[in-house]
């Protein structure tokens, strides 16, 4: 198996990782109830997504 010739120093490894950071979740207000919710997810408080309720199956 090919391997790196030398061990990468902690400094070099950590310098590379300075670009790694946690991103804040995309939050938006629900268009039905105004509650803060995750973007592209059904609203946790009223169950609406794209103007339709996702709680009751449509049949
Ligand atoms: Zn809602």
């Amino acid at each position: 198996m090919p391997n790196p010739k030398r061990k990468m120093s902690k400094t070099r490894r950590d310098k590379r990782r300075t670009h790694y950071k946690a991103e804040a979740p995309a939050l938006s207000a629900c268009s039905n109830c105004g509650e803060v919710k995750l973007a592209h997810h059904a609203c946790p408080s009223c169950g609406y997504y794209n103007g339709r309720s996702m709680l009751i199956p449509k049949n």
Side-chain angles (χ1 to χ4, degrees):
M1 278 266 278
N3 265 320
K5 257 210 161 65
R6 285 179 205 292
K7 178 181 177 137
M8 190 175 277
S9 71
K10 289 174 214 161
T11 306
R12 187 146 185 205
R13 179 201 66 197
D14 294 348
K15 274 181 170 174
R16 182 181 66 238
R17 293 181 185 173
T18 59
H19 301 281
Y20 298 3
K21 37 182 123 65
E23 214 167 283
L27 294 171
S28 62
C30 175
S31 57
N32 187 56
C33 68
E35 196 73 43
V36 175
K37 66 168 200 67
L38 283 171
H40 312 114
H41 287 254
C43 176
S45 67
C46 71
Y48 264 65
Y49 188 77
N50 211 342
R52 289 184 300 135
S53 174
M54 294 294 144
L55 292 177
I56 307 124
K58 42 170 197 289
N59 52 12

